[in-house]
Amino acid sequence: MDERAQTGRLCLVTGATGYIGGRLVPELLSAGYRVRCLVRDQRRLRDQPWRGRVTAVTGDVTRPPTLDGAFDGVDVAYYLVHSLGTGPDFEDTDRRAARAFARAAARAGVGRIVYLSGLLPAGVPEAELSPHLRSRAEVGRVLRTAGVPTAELRAAVIIGSGSASFEMLRYLTERLPAMVTPRWVNTRIQPIAVRDVLRYLVAAASLPPDVDRAFDIGGPDVLTYRLMMQRYARAAGLPRRLIVPVPVLTPALSSHWVGLVTPVPGSLARPLVESLRHEVVCGEHDIAHWIPDPPQGLTGFDRAVELALRRIREARVTTRWSSASLPGVPSDPLPTDPDWAGGSLYQDLRERRVAADPAAVWRVVEGVGGENGWYSLPFAWALRGTVDRLAGGVGLRRGRRDRDHLRVGDALDFWRVEEIEPGRLLRLRAEMRLPGLAWLEMRVAPDGEGGTLYRQRALFHPHGLAGHAYWWSVAPFHSLVFGAMARNITERARRAAVPRSTPRTPTDSAPRAHP
């Protein structure tokens, strides 16, 4: 889209592929702003319903040279990224990224920066904060000292369909009718509904130039985590939960517990849990002087939970915590050259003809994962997911954003949608812990005889000797897992189609490797 043909002030949004950024963009558009998205990979925006209404530039806040030109003509710049979970040096990475962003904004004459941060506990020295909150606070300082008026909005737990905090609360409450819990379940918290966070973010773009400070933002309720679980149970129609806090579960131990029970992996659960060690309650509500509360008031906890559950039931979860790629997971695209010379590329190929039209086969393919499973040996897939979670990976519990449709960038259990051509191709990139890179590709095409050719490829690019050993150790299981998957996908499509009299002959080829 040509920005010159649009009217309205121009907003630059980082993190547009993430949970908050993906929801903020359409809100800004509805408010009359022009939007430019700064992304590392523009393909991740391709299937967003608002893609045709925004412009996109390729850049990475951790690589300052890539920011040249991204801020040209920008009135308001939103900083919605972090490097949480990238390793022990994430605080340094966050610091450098914030400096690069702030300097680029200052050079371009940007009028305002808006940053979504974490709510800080009152009276706690910064050195005693969790690394997550300490880094959030430091990023705010870096942004505010760059010479660009900055509004730092500090929020605690965000309640909304698909948020990491909400998913953690939901799964803990639904899966454990009785639980032994860490002491932090008695910590007081001031949650905020995601709709109120978005309202503040949009309105912050119009703050006067002399407003350059941090604001605490929160909903009308102050609750303990224990009470939040009980009130969630009531809203979800569940019996009252038996919750017994014990002192032996440290934040580190309880983050592993959260990682095993909920879809949120330990790498994200730990900073969320560590941030609950201290009371996080708003110390002021000064934001109301510039952004008044709505006439009906801010959204209460019970109402926020009801809205989130309704969106989940109606399959209208527009973004999830898993919308953004997890730090440290593979991101290399699939080598598309058949004679790729980048090293060994192992593949398992399955082809089957089926007496059904391509649309019927595609419906089965696009429904893969989540509640539908992977169409073969559920125990084997569950075991692989458990192994991945024990190794610190995401496992199978991320599920799907939408039960019927997929788009580029969607998380799908321990895969991510790398490419989708509706009716023809679905390519998934593995985000599980592996000694290499892996993809699963499913293609659907007419077979020229009134039926459909289904083609399935699993590919693996090994890293080092461990990668080669991994492939050959699991290759014997591929005939069972991938072979059954191809058979069950085509059989399900055949059963859903009008019966045909023409017989089809399935063919499978054995695993092989390209040198």
Side-chain angles (χ1 to χ4, degrees):
M1 175 172 287
D2 187 354
E3 290 176 347
R4 294 170 298 182
Q6 298 175 287
T7 58
R9 299 171 70 207
L10 178 60
C11 296
L12 178 73
V13 177
T14 61
T17 60
Y19 177 72
I20 292 293
R23 297 189 180 207
L24 175 63
V25 169
E27 294 292 329
L28 289 170
L29 292 169
S30 296
Y33 292 100
R34 294 178 293 146
V35 176
R36 181 188 297 165
C37 298
L38 176 69
V39 290
R40 286 176 294 182
D41 184 355
Q42 293 191 32
R43 293 176 303 171
R44 293 285 308 279
L45 298 179
R46 192 191 69 190
D47 296 331
Q48 292 288 351
W50 38 260
R51 177 62 181 93
R53 302 171 60 196
V54 306
T55 57
V57 292
T58 302
D60 184 342
V61 292
T62 64
R63 301 168 57 202
T66 67
L67 303 181
D68 292 342
F71 291 79
D72 291 350
V74 169
D75 299 292
V76 182
Y78 284 88
Y79 194 76
L80 304 174
V81 295
H82 60 77
S83 55
L84 189 65
T86 57
D89 298 328
F90 83 90
E91 290 181 83
D92 180 61
T93 303
D94 273 343
R95 184 184 310 114
R96 290 186 290 102
R99 284 175 181 163
F101 181 90
R103 288 169 180 169
R107 286 196 304 269
V110 171
R112 171 161 301 283
I113 292 173
V114 180
Y115 166 50
L116 181 61
S117 181
L119 186 59
L120 303 179
V124 178
E126 192 167 303
E128 297 179 16
L129 294 176
S130 70
H132 164 54
L133 283 182
R134 187 168 60 236
S135 179
R136 290 294 180 97
E138 183 180 18
V139 166
R141 282 199 307 274
V142 170
L143 294 175
R144 290 197 306 275
T145 57
V148 178
T150 298
E152 177 184 355
L153 306 181
R154 293 175 170 174
V157 171
I158 296 177
I159 303 297
S161 58
S163 78
S165 296
F166 181 73
E167 290 293 278
M168 191 171 99
L169 173 70
R170 179 164 78 102
Y171 277 82
L172 286 176
T173 307
E174 291 185 353
R175 293 188 171 179
L176 300 175
M179 63 191 95
V180 175
T181 60
R183 286 178 296 180
W184 50 258
V185 297
N186 290 323
T187 301
R188 293 203 315 155
I189 305 161
Q190 190 164 354
I192 183 170
V194 67
R195 58 170 48 195
D196 288 330
V197 173
L198 294 170
R199 177 176 166 274
Y200 282 130
L201 286 169
V202 173
S206 299
L207 289 171
D210 60 341
V211 177
D212 185 17
R213 54 165 290 186
F215 295 96
D216 291 352
I217 59 172
D221 300 310
V222 177
L223 309 165
T224 65
Y225 205 90
R226 182 210 293 249
L227 188 53
M228 287 168 60
M229 286 192 283
Q230 297 291 14
R231 286 170 67 164
Y232 175 91
R234 184 175 64 191
L238 301 171
R240 183 175 177 82
R241 274 25 198 166
L242 176 62
I243 302 171
V244 182
V246 295
V248 295
L249 284 175
T250 64
L253 287 175
S254 56
S255 67
H256 291 297
W257 167 65
V258 170
L260 288 173
V261 175
T262 80
V264 181
S267 60
L268 288 183
R270 180 160 186 166
L272 292 176
V273 167
E274 287 179 336
S275 299
L276 298 174
R277 289 183 303 168
H278 302 291
E279 182 176 282
V280 277
V281 176
C282 294
E284 44 83 10
H285 190 48
D286 296 350
I287 191 76
H289 294 304
W290 291 275
I291 307 174
D293 294 347
Q296 70 276 17
L298 295 168
T299 309
F301 176 81
D302 294 337
R303 176 62 175 159
V305 170
E306 291 171 5
L307 291 169
L309 288 176
R310 182 189 302 169
R311 279 189 169 268
I312 291 170
R313 287 193 297 267
E314 296 174 354
R316 293 191 298 116
V317 181
T318 54
T319 62
R320 301 175 68 223
W321 62 270
S322 55
S323 297
S325 294
L326 288 175
V329 299
S331 59
D332 295 22
L334 174 71
T336 54
D337 185 351
D339 300 318
W340 183 61
S344 297
L345 184 63
Y346 295 108
Q347 77 169 0
D348 178 279
L349 175 64
R350 310 280 163 177
E351 291 184 348
R352 293 181 68 87
R353 287 182 165 81
V354 55
D357 60 52
V361 181
W362 177 255
R363 282 193 294 270
V364 179
V365 168
E366 194 176 10
V368 71
E371 294 180 358
N372 289 331
W374 292 86
Y375 304 130
S376 70
L377 303 178
F379 173 77
W381 285 95
L383 178 62
R384 185 64 184 88
T386 300
V387 170
D388 189 56
R389 290 187 75 83
L390 291 175
V394 295
L396 284 175
R397 293 190 184 143
R398 291 192 301 185
R400 298 171 56 109
R401 177 192 57 82
D402 184 289
R403 62 183 169 219
D404 297 316
H405 304 290
L406 296 172
R407 65 190 186 198
V408 169
D410 271 0
L412 184 61
D413 292 327
F414 50 38
W415 305 89
R416 189 168 299 274
V417 179
E418 180 176 275
E419 183 58 81
I420 184 168
E421 297 176 14
R424 295 184 61 249
L425 167 69
L426 175 63
R427 181 185 301 136
L428 308 176
R429 187 184 70 247
E431 291 191 339
M432 65 193 83
R433 295 297 178 93
L434 289 170
L437 303 175
W439 298 267
L440 178 60
E441 185 178 86
M442 290 166 271
R443 290 182 180 270
V444 175
D447 67 356
E449 300 176 20
T452 299
L453 175 64
Y454 171 73
R455 190 169 189 262
Q456 175 183 296
R457 287 198 307 165
L459 298 106
F460 182 68
H461 172 39
H463 287 171
L465 182 60
H468 290 277
Y470 171 82
W471 172 262
W472 290 113
S473 67
V474 299
F477 301 100
H478 287 171
S479 293
L480 296 173
V481 175
F482 292 129
M485 184 178 181
R487 287 193 301 273
N488 292 337
I489 285 176
T490 52
E491 177 60 19
R492 183 172 295 199
R494 186 194 65 78
R495 291 199 305 265
V498 177
R500 300 173 186 267
S501 58
T502 305
R504 302 293 175 208
T505 303
T507 59
D508 287 348
S509 64
R512 57 194 177 92
H514 293 297

